[in-house]
Amino acid sequence: TEAPASLILLFGATGDLAKRKLYPSIYNLYKKGLLSDRFAVVGVARRLKDDDDFRNWVKESIDTFGNSSEDLTEFISHFYYQSHDVTDSESYRELKNLVDCLDTTYHLDGNRIFYLAMSPEFFGTVAEHLKEDGLTDTKGFKRLVIEKPFGHDLPSAINLNKRIRSAFKENEVYRIDHYLGKEMVQNIEVIRFSNAIFEPLWNNRYISNIQITSSETLGVEERARYYDKNGALRDMLQNHMMQIVSLLAMEPPIKLTTDEIRSEKVRVLRALRPFKNEEIDQYFVRGQYGEGTINNETVPAYRNEPNVDPESNTETYVAGKFMIDNFRWAGVPFYIRTGKRMDKKSTKIVVQFKDIPMNLYYKNGSSLNPNLLVIHIQPEEGITLHLNVKKTGQGMETNPVKLNFSNKSIDGMNTPEAYEKLLFDCLRGDATNFTHWDEVALSWRFVDQISEVWANQKAPFPNYAAGTMGPKAADELLEKDGFFWWPVA
Ligand code: BG6
């Protein structure tokens, strides 16, 4: 069923995210009949001139990044533009006039989504102005969608949250983690809780370790100004990776409601084993790429990228070991690794089951392969189960086989589809696949300790060549526990 009538007020209307993801997503919802006819989008930014300018911008974005075949005239007629100064009250009052007027024209019932897809330094300012200048004063629903990063560390996140919460209640805040919009990330719960053969085994009696790899081939691109201050720990681990860990480790929720699911995820984060500063090397490894070759092309070292400090101590790679100290997971390491300029773009989870108590088929020094459940998040979407069967013919030798399920894969990464789902959820008021404040706070608290230690120790960077799977120390992290990274292919 279609979403309720609503106005979407989009800050950062000329930004990269809006252009690549948001307009194509809104359009897809429209095309699928999931958007009410009663919708309007107001884009605010500083660059463009007027509605026509904006409509062309939106059209071009859909032509380039979306899949449109038809005439977009009717669709883009719902788009309006306002040049805006985010620090100026007068500017918000003009915006309010436009919004009120569109509310009447399109019969929007006062429903409003405020989407902040702009520079994070203004998140707090905008939220406060929205309230002070009357935009949140409406008889319909009001929701704030906010992109990452949600703060830079726990203190800044607390501060940002305070400012936001002065204008919106927690259940009106939709903090985006686009990994939660990915089909196979949403599938983790379903695989776990709808299959009798997995849930009974999903614990420390039968699982030996879990490995999550999210590798990228891209470097820092044009984002060095942001990235050099943040690094892989803040950019990927604090949000996407920790969210995946929570979904893999959480207890079955009592019901599939937002509150129940979130509270189970929060409990996982609460159970993360804390460590002392001097123990950090036992749990975490950082890396930064040097020059190397990707797809037969030589790419520069991170420190030689534009706008990167030539002596940058920022990590472009992080590997870590999470221990979850509760009854279900005591003793089972969750290993994660993520980085830029690695040898392929891929996100995968490998669940490695324990060896059976006795191997009857042990022969010629070769042992049985462990059972693995691989969840392919991208670029392929699917699951593979690794089993052992009898080798056909005489004798009793075993042969490893793979049972494969492949979801019809959507090509491309970070596709509009994730945003499309999240946007639709927000329009319907379903915050399940957004990050609750408690999750943000707990994950920052965990990450802050690591980043503080790292900030005070100069790392021997670069320590991995572009186009490889990361520094050697990341392999040793597993080797000392008797494991190794399963090849991601
Ligand atoms: C973003 C990070 O959150 O996720 C980027 O800021 C990263 O640095 C991106 O490239 C990866 O997303 P995806 O969907 O391509 O895996």
Side-chain angles (χ1 to χ4, degrees):
T1 52
E2 66 175 37
S6 182
L7 178 120
I8 301 174
L9 181 54
L10 179 60
F11 290 83
T14 53
D16 213 46
L17 182 79
K19 190 168 70 179
R20 285 170 186 274
K21 313 284 179 202
L22 302 182
Y23 303 133
S25 298
I26 298 172
Y27 177 65
N28 284 352
L29 291 175
Y30 169 84
K31 213 172 52 177
K32 291 177 184 167
L34 295 172
L35 208 60
S36 163
D37 289 341
R38 296 186 291 141
F39 85 96
V41 178
V42 176
V44 297
R46 307 185 66 152
R47 239 186 286 171
L48 302 175
K49 288 195 308 281
D50 52 27
D51 289 350
D52 280 342
D53 238 20
F54 182 44
R55 289 170 184 172
N56 284 332
W57 177 270
V58 172
K59 182 176 176 318
E60 211 180 286
S61 121
I62 294 167
D63 287 340
T64 317
F65 299 104
N67 33 16
S68 73
S69 42
E70 327 135 51
D71 184 9
L72 294 175
T73 319
E74 153 61 19
F75 176 70
I76 58 173
S77 72
H78 291 253
F79 285 69
Y80 297 82
Y81 182 74
Q82 177 101 32
S83 176
H84 184 74
D85 175 352
V86 291
T87 59
D88 175 25
S89 277
E90 186 49 39
S91 209
Y92 288 88
R93 282 194 286 273
E94 281 171 28
L95 203 52
K96 180 173 160 46
N97 288 339
L98 173 62
V99 165
D100 287 344
C101 173
L102 292 173
D103 199 51
T104 316
T105 320
Y106 288 92
H107 308 286
L108 301 176
D109 303 335
N111 292 336
R112 289 175 191 178
I113 289 179
F114 305 97
Y115 197 126
L116 309 191
M118 37 134 43
S119 174
E121 63 189 298
F122 297 117
F123 287 168
T125 309
V126 172
E128 284 168 356
H129 271 289
L130 289 176
K131 181 178 169 76
E132 279 160 25
D133 299 314
L135 279 126
T136 55
D137 189 9
T138 176
K139 63 178 188 343
F141 64 66
K142 60 177 200 299
R143 294 176 188 144
L144 182 77
V145 183
I146 183 162
E147 280 290 335
K148 64 178 276 247
F150 198 91
H152 177 76
D153 51 16
L154 183 57
S156 59
I158 289 176
N159 181 38
L160 171 59
N161 202 47
K162 249 193 216 134
R163 299 180 73 186
I164 285 173
R165 293 290 306 279
S166 71
F168 296 88
K169 296 204 239 15
E170 173 64 29
N171 66 8
E172 293 171 332
V173 181
Y174 290 68
R175 298 178 194 81
I176 294 253
D177 182 318
H178 78 278
Y179 268 54
L180 297 181
K182 290 185 191 286
E183 186 61 36
M184 290 307 294
V185 172
Q186 297 190 350
N187 222 327
I188 294 173
E189 274 175 71
V190 182
I191 292 166
R192 286 189 54 192
F193 302 132
S194 72
N195 290 298
I197 60 164
F198 291 133
E199 192 45 33
L201 306 185
W202 210 263
N203 56 53
N204 51 11
R205 268 170 293 159
Y206 300 102
I207 288 178
S208 84
N209 73 93
I210 295 185
Q211 306 176 4
I212 307 163
T213 300
S214 191
S215 58
E216 297 188 72
T217 50
L218 288 181
V220 61
E221 308 298 293
E222 293 88 41
R223 298 163 71 222
R225 257 181 267 273
Y226 150 80
Y227 194 86
D228 206 34
K229 289 201 213 76
N230 287 277
L233 191 65
R234 293 186 171 95
D235 186 51
M236 291 289 292
L237 184 134
Q238 181 268 341
N239 37 65
H240 311 320
M241 304 306 276
M242 290 184 78
Q243 284 291 330
I244 295 179
V245 169
S246 312
L247 290 167
L248 286 166
M250 70 190 231
E251 294 300 313
I254 297 166
K255 283 183 292 214
L256 284 187
T257 58
T258 306
D259 288 348
E260 293 295 350
I261 292 173
R262 281 170 155 183
S263 82
E264 294 304 341
K265 286 167 68 193
V266 165
R267 279 154 52 89
V268 173
L269 298 172
R270 280 169 49 202
L272 285 180
R273 179 184 301 174
F275 48 85
K276 300 200 188 72
N277 283 355
E278 54 279 15
E279 292 172 334
I280 193 162
D281 295 344
Q282 295 167 35
Y283 291 93
F284 286 90
V285 170
R286 55 180 160 164
Q288 186 193 76
Y289 61 83
E291 193 187 86
T293 315
I294 296 181
N295 300 331
N296 297 323
E297 206 185 304
T298 307
V299 296
Y302 176 70
R303 286 178 176 176
N304 296 334
E305 302 265 24
N307 297 318
V308 171
D309 175 356
E311 300 196 6
S312 174
N313 200 36
T314 302
E315 77 288 348
T316 60
Y317 174 102
V318 54
K321 165 171 153 180
F322 292 93
M323 297 304 293
I324 299 165
D325 288 336
N326 63 18
F327 250 69
R328 185 187 284 264
W329 294 116
V332 181
F334 284 66
Y335 301 107
I336 63 97
R337 57 180 170 167
T338 180
K340 302 259 180 221
R341 288 283 193 234
M342 291 170 67
D343 76 339
K344 56 172 77 71
K345 171 78 186 172
S346 162
T347 304
K348 251 175 223 164
I349 300 164
V350 180
V351 179
Q352 179 179 344
F353 291 88
K354 286 190 172 165
D355 291 339
I356 45 173
M358 190 185 102
N359 178 6
L360 292 169
Y361 305 100
Y362 185 87
K363 203 179 150 206
N364 297 336
S366 67
S367 56
L368 279 180
N369 286 3
N371 294 131
L372 303 178
L373 171 67
V374 184
I375 303 177
H376 308 265
I377 293 172
Q378 57 187 22
E380 320 82 45
E381 297 186 343
I383 55 177
T384 307
L385 188 59
H386 294 232
L387 303 173
N388 295 300
V389 299
K390 180 183 168 303
K391 215 176 211 167
T392 317
Q394 298 296 332
M396 270 299 170
E397 270 182 78
T398 63
N399 206 15
V401 294
K402 294 178 188 174
L403 298 189
N404 247 321
F405 160 71
S406 166
N407 218 11
K408 188 177 60 64
S409 195
I410 309 153
D411 61 353
M413 307 288 173
N414 193 356
T415 49
E417 282 73 8
Y419 274 94
E420 196 182 309
K421 284 202 210 128
L422 295 175
L423 211 56
F424 188 56
D425 283 354
C426 176
L427 282 161
R428 288 179 312 153
D430 181 350
T432 313
N433 289 314
F434 294 81
T435 322
H436 187 274
W437 164 247
D438 293 345
E439 298 171 80
V440 175
L442 285 163
S443 48
W444 272 129
R445 198 174 68 184
F446 189 82
V447 159
D448 280 358
Q449 190 191 352
I450 309 168
S451 48
E452 273 160 33
V453 176
W454 283 355
N456 293 323
Q457 292 169 4
K458 195 111 184 99
F461 288 158
N463 60 354
Y464 71 98
T468 65
M469 281 310 279
K472 236 177 113 268
D475 294 335
E476 290 157 7
L477 186 71
L478 275 68
E479 278 160 21
K480 63 180 192 238
D481 295 341
F483 302 125
F484 57 86
W485 293 105
W486 290 95
V488 291

